[in-house]
Amino acid sequence: MCLAIPGEIVEVMADRPLATADIGGVRRAVDTGLLDGAPLAAGDWVLIHVGFALSRIDEDEARATLALLESLGPAYDDEIDALRESRIG
């Protein structure tokens, strides 16, 4: 199963459309090239799928979505395990 998972931006790279996001306790580089609007900053939340930030979301929506995903149990755990093993950038 593939899920889009909320992640909190912890660092934005100035020279490339990449940012480091914390996703369920796992930090990974995510491609931010699909996002329009104001530049990202640490503390912003995005919805991430296959290494791409698809959209900005507010913190309340992110936390509610994370709670729902965590309630899925094994499906969410499998996604987080796959994320730990992935590399982008």
Side-chain angles (χ1 to χ4, degrees), residues 9-86:
I9 301 299
V10 295
E11 180 182 10
V12 177
M13 297 180 188
D15 60 336
R16 297 172 47 185
L18 293 174
T20 302
D22 184 295
I23 308 158
V26 178
R27 288 190 176 197
R28 284 290 176 263
V30 295
D31 188 308
T32 60
L34 298 175
L35 298 176
D36 290 332
L40 286 174
D44 288 343
W45 285 86
V46 294
L47 194 58
I48 301 165
H49 179 66
V50 295
F52 291 88
L54 300 177
S55 63
R56 294 171 192 264
I57 57 176
D58 66 38
E59 185 173 356
D60 291 338
E61 181 180 357
R63 299 231 182 257
T65 302
L66 284 171
L68 174 69
L69 292 173
E70 289 169 356
S71 76
L72 296 175
Y76 176 76
D77 295 339
D78 290 347
E79 287 297 311
I80 294 299
D81 289 343
L83 186 62
R84 279 190 185 95
E85 297 169 10
S86 68

